[in-house]
Amino acid sequence: MEFKVSNLIYGYILLIALAVCVSVSHFVLPLTTPHPIWNYLVVGLLLFVVFSSSWFKKNLILKLTNKPVLIINEDFVFDIASNRKYDWDDIKEIYGENSSIYIVLYQPEKYKQKPSNGLERWNAKIDKNPSFTINTGFVSARINTLLEVLDEYSIKAAK
């Protein structure tokens, strides 16, 4: 079963456009006496754009090409946005919380990926027990539906 990127991605595009416009206007057309809270807002918006850009780019490309972001079948669970494929034989437990699906693996070291950038390397040093999650924020299905489908396919995979 395939799940596509939801239309919420367009709202995210508007947020990023707003962040860029506000940041540019702050530095190009500075106020004569800017309020200190304004500086914090601009820095926060810039950090928002910088840290979400690679994750956002993957989801936007999947939306524009109309490709699935999540594939679930009787052999594996494939999170295309994070490029991780989990075999059912390796999954001990799956549960959902908020807008994430957490996957507990028998051998998590098998699924550890080499960090590709400085932020990921920093997170890998801090987090000694990384969790394997699927962010369902932009998946075009509710988390309860996804958990039901995952449960159904885990039963099929066990047979």
Side-chain angles (χ1 to χ4, degrees), residues 1 29 32 41 45 60 62 84 99 109 140 151 156:
M1 180 169 268
L29 305 168
T32 55
L41 175 69
L45 288 172
L60 181 61
L62 290 171
R84 284 206 169 144
S99 65
E109 60 278 348
S140 64
D151 188 42
K156 287 181 182 179

Side-chain angles (χ1 to χ4, degrees), residues 84-87 90 105 108-113 132:
R84 284 206 169 144
K85 184 188 279 188
Y86 304 99
D87 293 325
D90 298 332
L105 300 167
E109 60 278 348
K110 178 179 173 183
Y111 287 89
K112 287 185 183 175
Q113 296 176 336
F132 296 94

Side-chain angles (χ1 to χ4, degrees), residues 39-65:
N39 293 328
Y40 294 123
L41 175 69
V42 170
V43 169
L45 288 172
L46 283 172
L47 289 173
F48 171 74
V49 169
V50 168
F51 288 123
S52 65
S53 61
S54 65
W55 169 82
F56 169 72
K57 186 172 77 172
K58 289 178 188 176
N59 281 297
L60 181 61
I61 290 170
L62 290 171
K63 180 65 176 176
L64 294 176
T65 58

Side-chain angles (χ1 to χ4, degrees), residues 34 36 53 78 108 118 124 126 130 139:
S53 61
F78 186 25
I126 292 174
V139 178

